Amino acid sequence: MTRCLLLSMDEWRRQHSPLVPKVERVHLQVGTFTCVEPDQLVVTWGDAVRGSWLDGAELVIESVLLVGRCVPCQATYRPDPSCGFRSPCCDHPMEEIVSGRELRIRSVAYAFADQAVPAPAAHPPAPCPAA
Ligand SMILES: [Zn+2]
């Protein structure tokens, strides 16, 4: 999972080439109906980016709750594993998932500060001597 994330970030970086963005935060949406354990992901992310161009970038995980849609009546509901994810209205098996399977980068906070702003000249250019 972390590997996929890093590949996505590499792809994203290429879009800014030749500048290398300094990434501060990566906001990731993670559905609760994925097998991803957010705390674990944050730890592996921290290990994976150490020493890379993403070193220091913080991974911020936003959980997306599982929401199903009941096919017979089209109502959305919160599937409950203890009820076999069946809809409370019609007791229908969960066939449609509205949200909860997300695993995507929602936004990236970054800056080009180091590259975009040229270092100030050590000495301001001398004005032309008065004629
Ligand atoms: Zn229903």
Side-chain angles (χ1 to χ4, degrees):
M1 173 53 214
T2 307
R3 202 177 134 72
C4 293
L5 204 52
L6 292 177
L7 286 173
S8 303
M9 289 305 295
D10 281 340
E11 180 61 36
W12 176 82
R13 180 179 70 159
R14 271 194 287 280
Q15 295 167 13
H16 295 86
S17 180
L19 295 178
V20 179
K22 173 80 185 115
V23 176
E24 288 160 22
R25 270 183 307 282
V26 176
H27 290 264
L28 187 71
Q29 284 189 314
V30 177
T32 54
F33 200 58
T34 61
C35 298
V36 174
E37 177 56 54
D39 292 344
Q40 186 60 39
L41 185 58
V42 167
V43 171
T44 45
W45 166 267
D47 291 341
V49 300
R50 197 164 296 129
S52 79
W53 68 280
L54 284 167
D55 199 346
E58 184 190 357
L59 185 65
V60 180
I61 292 182
E62 180 190 321
S63 289
V64 182
L65 289 174
L66 176 61
V67 175
R69 178 178 286 120
C70 175
V71 172
C73 75
Q74 293 294 299
T76 54
Y77 67 100
R78 288 278 167 74
D80 183 347
S82 65
C83 303
F85 300 102
R86 301 177 76 87
S87 71
C89 44
C90 308
D91 194 34
H92 195 79
M94 182 171 70
E95 287 178 6
E96 277 189 48
I97 293 176
V98 178
S99 71
R101 283 201 294 205
E102 292 80 357
L103 208 51
R104 59 168 174 246
I105 296 169
R106 195 170 67 83
S107 64
V108 178
Y110 65 100
F112 286 120
D114 293 349
Q115 295 97 355
V117 182
H123 301 289
C128 295

